[in-house]
């Protein structure tokens, strides 16, 4: 059995809806962007980490459209 078949069987067994990768990336980006400015991750020395995606938007990558 191929990995794709296993993936489909597991998703069906768990009643999961399979979501395309571009939609998952967009959701992740929105979740990360939604944490700013109230939830900023800082280093031990107090420096703030930049956003995981910076200024990148999912629409910037034509392969994810």
């Amino acid at each position: 059995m191929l990995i794709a078949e296993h993936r489909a069987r597991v998703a069906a067994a768990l009643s999961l809806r399979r979501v395309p990768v571009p939609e998952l990336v967009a959701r992740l980006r929105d979740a990360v962007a939604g944490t700013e400015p109230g939830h900023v991750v800082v280093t031990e020395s107090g420096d703030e980490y930049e956003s995981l995606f910076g200024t990148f938007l999912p629409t910037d990558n034509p392969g994810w459209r």
Side-chain angles (χ1 to χ4, degrees):
M1 188 176 291
L2 299 174
I3 291 176
E5 293 169 336
H6 284 290
R7 185 180 305 131
R9 287 181 66 195
V10 169
L14 297 174
S15 300
L16 298 175
R17 181 176 70 90
R18 297 193 48 217
V19 180
V21 170
E23 186 177 336
L24 292 174
V25 172
R27 287 182 186 182
L28 176 60
R29 191 242 172 240
D30 291 345
V32 169
T35 63
E36 297 173 341
H39 298 87
V40 178
V41 179
V42 295
T43 65
E44 290 179 6
S45 61
D47 297 322
E48 293 182 2
Y49 282 104
E50 291 184 22
S51 170
L52 176 65
F53 290 95
T55 60
F56 176 82
L57 297 172
T59 55
D60 293 340
N61 185 334
W64 290 348
R65 292 184 192 153

